[in-house]
Amino acid sequence: MTLVDIEVELERRRGVLDLQSIVESAAEFLEDAPAREIIRWAAATFGDRMCLTSSMSDALLIDLVSRVKPGVDVLFIDTGYHFAETIGTRDAVEAVYDVNLINVTPSRTVAEQDRDLGPRLHGRNPDLCCFLRKVEPLNRALEPYLAWISGIRRDESPTRTGTKVVEWDAKRQMVKVNPIARWTQEDVDNYIADNGVLINPLHYDNYPSIGCAPCTRRVADGEDARSGRWAGLGKIECGIHL
């Protein structure tokens, strides 16, 4: 390693430490703040080095963030397995909201993955399929940014109960902002209704949580909202938020 390489690495580490200290103070200061105030803080702190991600289940987060930061980058992971309704929602979002929509794709098409790893990997090894088609593409897409905004909430699953409104994403060495972490489903429904937010039409067909088509089923009355994801596979997360 040359002297220049050492200096670059030291500067990178100093930057990481600075970001971590920002996260610690912001997480405490913003814990009880409204979602829009959390977003304003993120936009003021990170500017164009901030993006948000959306699964296109609805455009709630997109509506919230674009009101604070018009033209914000929105990353959508096009796995190649999405419902047609999800792709339609993505296209509608791009047409309606003041955002820069970035379509993120895996390194292999579905056909190439089937050729290399065998068909229906999602049924045989869903964790690997999610990694190849969701986690790895998102990791690449997030590299230019210092912070990303997600729409996860504490009430969605047991793995999300400890979510902070601002936290350090150690896996990606960047800041993760969760402005609606404290919201309930009732809060979500009220915001969508009050603001005319675009919503994936599959919600009206008993799909309260929408992922890839082969791994998502309708949910019966009384079932948990996420029970239709990876049903029977003992899996509740794709790996993006772990």
Side-chain angles (χ1 to χ4, degrees):
M1 181 178 286
T2 67
L3 182 59
V4 172
D5 292 334
I6 293 172
E7 290 177 349
V8 169
E9 177 62 17
L10 288 173
E11 185 62 30
R12 185 194 69 81
R13 293 184 182 182
R14 280 193 291 269
V16 167
L17 291 174
D18 289 344
L19 287 174
Q20 287 177 306
S21 65
I22 288 172
V23 166
E24 291 173 6
S25 58
E28 181 177 356
F29 178 72
L30 294 169
E31 168 59 24
D32 297 318
R36 198 162 294 179
E37 184 176 330
I38 297 169
I39 295 165
R40 286 195 189 97
W41 169 83
T45 304
F46 302 107
D48 291 337
R49 299 293 301 279
M50 175 193 81
C51 68
L52 68 95
T53 59
S54 176
S55 65
M56 299 301 165
S57 176
D58 59 59
L60 187 155
L61 188 64
I62 292 167
D63 185 272
L64 271 170
V65 178
S66 64
R67 290 172 186 261
V68 175
K69 186 174 173 53
V72 65
D73 288 352
V74 175
L75 308 185
F76 170 71
I77 308 171
D78 189 348
T79 65
Y81 282 121
H82 282 302
F83 290 96
E85 291 87 346
T86 301
I87 299 301
T89 303
R90 176 202 64 188
D91 295 343
V93 161
E94 187 172 25
V96 170
Y97 293 94
D98 186 359
V99 298
N100 178 37
L101 194 138
I102 299 173
N103 204 62
V104 178
T105 56
S107 58
R108 282 182 279 203
T109 66
V110 170
E112 289 170 340
Q113 179 172 291
D114 288 349
R115 178 198 65 200
D116 297 341
L117 300 173
R120 296 186 56 80
L121 182 64
H122 49 79
R124 295 181 288 107
N125 191 337
D127 288 339
L128 178 57
C129 191
C130 283
F131 177 80
L132 293 174
R133 310 211 69 77
K134 291 184 177 182
V135 179
E136 193 278 332
L138 179 62
N139 290 348
R140 279 190 285 108
L142 286 174
E143 287 178 1
Y145 303 98
L146 294 174
W148 65 297
I149 300 179
S150 94
I152 64 171
R153 308 194 321 269
R154 293 170 184 168
D155 70 345
E156 289 178 310
S157 71
T159 57
R160 299 181 179 184
T161 55
T163 300
K164 297 180 180 179
V165 296
V166 181
E167 55 192 11
W168 179 245
D169 186 341
K171 182 168 62 176
R172 300 178 178 92
Q173 295 287 283
M174 64 191 302
V175 179
K176 185 178 181 185
V177 183
N178 308 301
I180 62 171
R182 301 192 317 274
W183 284 27
T184 64
Q185 186 61 51
E186 183 179 6
D187 294 326
V188 169
D189 294 341
N190 288 339
Y191 186 92
I192 288 173
D194 292 344
N195 293 277
V197 172
L198 279 174
I199 186 168
N200 191 316
L202 287 171
H203 281 290
Y204 303 116
D205 192 22
N206 293 327
Y207 287 91
S209 181
I210 303 166
C212 291
C215 303
T216 308
R217 65 162 174 81
R218 290 180 179 84
V219 171
D221 291 343
E223 284 189 302
D224 180 81
R226 288 180 64 83
S227 63
R229 303 287 297 277
W230 306 288
L233 296 175
K235 179 178 170 65
I236 58 174
E237 293 280 359
C238 66
I240 285 176
H241 300 291
L242 295 178

